[in-house]
Amino acid sequence: MYDVIIVGAGSAGMTAAIYAGRKKLKTLLVTGPNIGGETNSTNDIQNYPGYEGPGPELMKKFWAQAKKWGAEILESRVASISKGKNFTIEFEDGKKLDSKTVILCYGRERRKLNIAGEDKFFGRGLSTCTTCDAPLFPNKETVVIGGGNSALEGALELARIAKKVYLVHRRDQFRADEVTVEIAKKEPKIEIITNHSPVEIQGDKFVKALIIEEVNTKNRRELSVQGIFSEIGWETHTDMVTGLIETNAVGEIVVDALTRTKTPGLYACGDLTSIPYKQTVISAGMGSIAALEAYKFVTGSLASHEYAK
Ligand SMILES: Cc1cc2nc3c(=O)[nH]c(=O)nc-3n(C[C@H](O)[C@H](O)[C@H](O)COP(=O)(O)OP(=O)(O)OC[C@H]3O[C@@H](n4cnc5c(N)ncnc54)[C@H](O)[C@@H]3O)c2cc1C
């Protein structure tokens, strides 16, 4: 029986493990397929306080610190979680373990473009995070793919930095808020191209062009760009916790300010939650809150703000 099982070893999960370990909770950190998580996708973190450099290097530091404070590590994937008196965690290989609390930190999955060059150029000019990577493209030619709020807001953010921003959308109408669409239409650096789908990313070591295709005529056009931002959305998988959590309109796990879900003892942190800003520092901060809440749950102690009442 564990005090806490942490599902996922990105910045949220590893921070939760550091905090749980320091509280001497019997802690298991389940890593999943990618130790370090999405922060490994960027080679230039500029906004993590106290650290600037490659994402994987920062995650190695998190990993070393999580292990130092005594979390047991299990390199496996969680398949499902159920609740009786305690939580039972079932792994993909059929193994089962019990815990008094669970912290969900397994992130989300990006929707893929499914076009040639996507895997080769990911992190080499192709990004799925405009907020994170737009500052890497000052005075460059760029393209944003998508038609929702993330795409439109991303294009506007890029327009403040880049020389040129194409906005490519496969339909003739945007899903984004009308007011944002109107602002984007008035922005001189943005060229909107509707009814076109991306078909291929070209380049050598880094991106040099995006090939797009008119959806009806199939006529192709080459956009000469150095940066491509795929803003076609993310998916949060919640099958493993069906019935234990609530989701918002876009499928994210709803939490309160203390990372609590609707099930006592079940917490969620980072990118998979309803908290809107998906950033390494935010996931880490939420991981620390969840571990402190789990400690309170396991020991029955009061949090400092409750003593004050
Ligand atoms: C291209 C790119 C650039 C970025 N740049 C920045 C930046 O410069 N600055 C910044 O602050 N943020 C940046 N971000 C955002 C940042 O990476 C994320 O906000 C952060 O990684 C979220 O951390 P997380 O722990 O919530 O989830 P993740 O990092 O997604 O970690 C999820 C973990 O869960 C594991 N897992 C998945 N499924 C299972 C399962 N079934 N069982 C067990 N484990 C599982 C995974 O293996 C992984 O270890 C960037 C993101 C991208 C995509």
Side-chain angles (χ1 to χ4, degrees), residues 34-291:
N34 175 17
I35 296 170
E38 284 297 331
T39 308
N40 287 336
S41 318
T42 174
N43 269 323
D44 194 5
I45 295 249
Q46 299 176 341
N47 53 7
Y48 194 88
Y51 176 87
E52 288 178 286
E57 291 304 315
L58 179 62
M59 289 299 98
K60 275 187 199 154
K61 290 174 189 283
F62 273 53
W63 181 236
Q65 214 166 336
K67 286 198 290 189
K68 173 181 164 185
W69 289 105
E72 288 177 41
I73 310 286
L74 181 64
E75 291 193 19
S76 183
R77 278 180 78 106
V78 171
S80 67
I81 299 171
S82 56
K83 173 101 168 67
K85 185 169 179 295
N86 295 296
F87 292 93
T88 300
I89 288 86
E90 182 164 0
F91 296 86
E92 284 187 346
D93 60 6
K95 179 176 174 168
K96 288 184 183 176
L97 291 171
D98 289 338
S99 182
K100 292 174 191 165
T101 63
V102 174
I103 303 179
L104 306 172
C105 308
Y106 57 83
R108 55 188 184 154
E109 277 181 23
R110 70 178 81 90
R111 282 202 192 106
K112 292 197 79 172
L113 294 164
N114 291 320
I115 60 173
E118 182 171 19
D119 291 336
K120 179 177 175 193
F121 291 107
F122 185 72
R124 298 172 174 275
L126 171 63
S127 172
T128 49
C129 182
T130 314
T131 313
C132 314
D133 292 341
L136 306 177
F137 294 87
N139 296 317
K140 302 277 193 234
E141 295 181 303
T142 60
V143 54
V144 177
I145 302 164
N149 280 320
S150 303
L152 272 286
E153 285 167 20
L156 285 166
E157 196 173 336
L158 263 171
R160 291 174 43 232
I161 296 161
K163 183 161 80 181
K164 166 94 188 171
V165 185
Y166 297 99
L167 177 61
V168 173
H169 182 38
R170 63 190 166 139
R171 304 190 200 286
D172 58 357
Q173 299 290 325
F174 289 100
R175 275 177 292 109
D177 299 336
E178 194 52 44
V179 60
T180 316
V181 176
E182 287 309 314
I183 296 169
K185 280 182 180 168
K186 287 186 192 137
E187 167 53 56
K189 281 191 192 171
I190 297 178
E191 179 178 335
I192 294 176
I193 306 174
T194 52
N195 288 323
H196 279 74
S197 294
V199 287
E200 186 181 350
I201 299 170
Q202 294 179 345
D204 40 38
K205 208 170 166 204
F206 294 97
V207 165
K208 284 192 165 165
L210 176 71
I211 311 298
I212 58 173
E213 187 177 85
E214 215 281 341
V215 290
N216 300 312
T217 63
K218 306 289 176 205
N219 287 339
R220 291 193 171 192
R221 177 176 167 189
E222 178 180 320
L223 304 178
S224 174
V225 291
Q226 297 83 57
I228 301 174
F229 290 84
S230 172
E231 289 287 1
I232 59 170
W234 294 74
E235 279 169 306
T236 311
H237 301 288
T238 52
D239 294 357
M240 73 165 83
V241 279
T242 305
L244 300 179
I245 49 105
E246 279 169 358
T247 53
N248 64 9
V250 289
E252 297 164 333
I253 298 176
V254 175
V255 290
D256 67 10
L258 296 174
T259 73
R260 295 179 295 198
T261 67
K262 74 167 192 179
T263 303
L266 181 65
Y267 309 92
C269 312
D271 280 11
L272 53 70
T273 69
S274 50
I275 299 299
Y277 307 109
K278 313 300 185 190
Q279 292 285 276
T280 301
V281 69
I282 290 170
S283 292
M286 292 181 79
S288 66
I289 294 173

